Amino acid sequence: MTLSSPSRALAANNCRDELKRPETARDYLASIFDCSNDAIIAKRLDGRITAWNTAAERMFGYAASEIIGKPVTTLFPPDLLPEESEIMARIVTGRTTRTFETRRVRKDGREIQVSITVSPIRNAAGEIIGASKIVRDLTDRKAAEERFSNMQAELIHLARWNTMGMMASSLAHELNQPLAAMTNYLSALRRVLAAQPQNHKLLGELVEKSVQQGQRAATIVQHVRELVAKGKSTRLPESLAGVVREALQIVSVAIRQSGVEIKFEAENNLPPIEIDRVQIQQVVINLVRNAAEAMAKEPERRLNVRVVREGSNLRTDVADTGPGLPKEVADHLFEAFVTTKSTGMGLGLSICHQIVTAHGGALTARPNKPHGTVFTFILPLEPHGM
């Protein structure tokens, strides 16, 4: 049955009148108290617990009958007992304690991470007779933060491992030049030593140049050693949208601090795809960071990331509103050591290209409209050989 406007107004007035009744108001507040997802705890000024809702039972493991009447410090780790004195010092002056993060102890002895807000409770005369606490369990959030932190560490390891692979492929070329120069200097040194009279100044120059080339070769080798990392590529069926979303979460804080607005979209019901989760996230993170750096001086800084199905492939677009790519760079974009940055080795996109190609996919770039660049990587739904 649909109520007319006058009927709806009458029903609303009746509801308000009903809530004005003391017993109805008490029932209403009791319902809110008991249905809250956060623990709500009340205590007297001496710290004894007087009220304990269902969420508090779930969070701390104590039934109301077990905990009411006991000191609230029952829930405190021993090293945080001074917190209660600080909280009550604020409450007796009528001040609300702003939300803060701390630790508390469950009945089973396990510590949990929580956020707490404490407010004074007043009687009908306005006198402060106790305090109420709203407690939120942060354990899951803290666990997620730790998981992301560990994932970042894994991504750093992967980046080094992939960079080492790129460096190893060019190591022979890089070492060939200093070693060839050193050989030439030493050959010249041998001839000067055999000549009479000996040119001591030239001898010193040749020795110094040989040492410099040896140091250069050692520096190259040391750089490769520093990039050694752990791990083999492991591919499992994954949600590509989930993998991309998680990668964006990893970099979102740093990216948003630079003023970049991120928008993420994904088609519904995308099929799972067999990929190395960490490697593909490394591709996304590289592309997002490059885009953010490219937009650093732009008035409009928007980044659109989209995952869609394209035939027998899944396609991911990373579109920025930066200045676009210079033609001389665009023609050699995915080659090692090609970069538009004043610092850096120019290996990031080359590594991304290597990872996507190893998955049987393709990485491309095209101009965005009206300005910027769109990087696209396509991955096949059918598993590709390792």
Side-chain angles (χ1 to χ4, degrees), residues 230-297:
K230 62 181 181 180
K232 294 182 180 180
S233 178
T234 302
R235 298 183 193 172
L236 298 170
E238 301 277 4
S239 161
L240 182 59
V243 169
V244 173
R245 184 183 292 107
E246 206 165 41
L248 292 176
Q249 289 173 336
I250 291 172
V251 295
S252 62
V253 174
I255 297 304
R256 288 197 172 97
Q257 284 176 348
S258 63
V260 176
E261 178 188 348
I262 303 176
K263 181 180 179 182
F264 174 70
E265 296 177 275
E267 278 187 2
N268 294 326
N269 303 318
L270 291 173
I273 186 169
E274 193 169 288
I275 54 175
D276 184 309
R277 182 186 193 89
V278 179
Q279 286 190 345
I280 296 304
Q281 286 183 338
Q282 181 64 24
V283 172
V284 175
I285 289 172
N286 263 311
L287 295 179
V288 169
R289 283 178 173 165
N290 284 350
E293 291 175 7
M295 294 186 287
K297 296 182 180 179

